[in-house]
Each structure stands twice: as C-alpha cells, then as structure tokens.
Amino acid sequence: MRVDRRTIVEAALGLLDDEGLDRLTVRRLAERLGVKSPALYWHFRDKRELLDRMAEHLRPPQSPPGPGEDWRSWSLRRAREHRAALSSHRDAARVVAGSRAGAATLAAFDAELAVLVGFGFGPVRAVRAAVLVDHYVVGSVLQQQADAQRHADAGETPPEDLPEEARAALTGATPTLAAALAGGGDPGGDEAFEDGLLMIVDGIAAGLERDRTA
C-alpha cells in the first residue's frame, strides 16, 4: 500500500479513536496501514512529529469574521468550533496540549491575530487573548475527556448521570457544592463551558478597554 503524510495522519486519528493515545504506536499504525514501520519514518522523523501533525489536523480550519460579526461573536464562534473539533476524537485534547506548532499552525495563528488587530487589538493583547481562549478550550476538553475515560475504565457511572438520590448522597457533606450542582448542573458540561467562555471574553473586553483609555 502506498502511503503519504495525509493518509498516515488520518489513519492515526482513526487509531486514536479506537485505542486511545496511550496505545497509539508506530507499530500499530503501520499494521493498520498494511505496511512495515520503517515506511512511516520516510514521512515522519518520529512519533512526536506525527503527533504534532495530528494536532495540526485537529484544529478547525481558518474562518474569517462573517458579515456583521464583531470580535466578540467571532471569538465565541471560533472557540466553539475548536471545542467541537477536539471533542470529535478520543484524547484529542491531550494530543493538542502536548504539541509543537509547525509552519501551517503558526501561519493560521498569525491570521487569527491579524483579525483581532483589525478589530482594534494591539499585537500583545491579541496574542494574550487568543492564547487565553485556546487554553480554556483545550483545558476544558482535556478535563472532560479524562473524566469520561476514567469512569469508563472503572466501569463507573459519571456523577452527572446518577439518580438524584445517589448524587445527593455524594454531596451530603458539601452543601455549597450541592447547591451549585443543583442550580448549574455538570460543571464540565455545555452550559458551564458557555458561561466560562463568556466570562473570559468579558475579561478580554475589559482589558481592551483599559488599553484604549491608558
């Protein structure tokens, strides 16, 4: 079978979904592709480089602001797209969190920064805002995927899926936490993610205003 870099990365993502990051090896990937391991090293120096290209593939494509989209709505949309891309593959957040950006990723990041600068951000504020949102997205998906895997490995039901009485028993000694969970639901769920994202964007807006009035 003839393989190229894209074929290898796509097969690696399939193996990631089936086996998880800890079991993703060059040998297993070569077996899936029907080739010998040395054939893959013609395209990637080592597993680390392969993971970096997988991380590149896991980032959503560049998407400039649409008509009438301001920096806030654009930033919110891009964060949601990033989260959806990471959530679509097992252990994807772990792959991205440990990656080193290549030329394509850096060019895409520079384009994102240029959008923020076009909205009135200074370059420093643009970098810090973009990195902050990126870290929030990756971190939230990382925690969500790690929790899901831990419960799956242990054969346990996640707390948010337990019957109400069982959840109440878990939080009997922590009344403030119990009230928070009763009112806000799963702190790692969609609603909590959206609320946290708005907090971050509000903070970015406050920093941008400070820059303008300094």
Side-chain angles (χ1 to χ4, degrees), residues 59-71:
R59 293 188 179 275
Q62 288 177 248
S63 178
E69 205 170 27
D70 61 12
W71 76 264

Side-chain angles (χ1 to χ4, degrees), residues 171-194:
T171 57
T174 53
T176 305
L177 175 60
L181 296 176
D186 178 11
D190 293 344
E191 185 178 347
F193 173 82
E194 286 291 325

Side-chain angles (χ1 to χ4, degrees), residues 78-143:
R78 292 296 289 152
R80 291 165 185 148
E81 290 171 349
H82 192 187
R83 183 182 184 229
L86 293 179
S87 299
S88 67
H89 289 281
R90 177 179 176 182
D91 288 341
R94 284 179 64 195
V95 173
V96 170
S99 67
R100 175 176 293 178
T105 299
L106 289 174
F109 183 56
D110 191 70
E112 302 266 341
L113 297 180
V115 169
L116 292 175
V117 170
F119 278 124
F121 284 64
V124 173
R125 180 66 64 187
V127 167
R128 291 177 180 173
V131 169
L132 175 61
V133 173
D134 182 81
H135 285 181
Y136 174 66
V137 173
V138 174
S140 66
V141 177
L142 184 66
Q143 184 65 53

Side-chain angles (χ1 to χ4, degrees), residues 6-45:
R6 183 175 183 83
T7 301
I8 295 169
V9 168
E10 290 176 349
L13 290 171
L15 186 58
L16 182 71
D17 286 334
D18 294 341
E19 301 284 350
L21 181 58
D22 293 333
R23 290 178 58 81
L24 194 163
T25 65
V26 173
R27 180 181 60 80
R28 282 196 171 96
L29 180 57
E31 290 174 355
R32 171 163 294 212
L33 288 165
V35 299
K36 299 293 186 181
S37 297
L40 303 185
Y41 291 115
W42 282 100
H43 303 277
F44 298 98
R45 291 189 307 273

Side-chain angles (χ1 to χ4, degrees), residues 184-202:
D186 178 11
D190 293 344
E191 185 178 347
F193 173 82
E194 286 291 325
D195 194 26
L197 183 58
L198 289 173
M199 291 181 196
I200 288 173
V201 172
D202 285 344

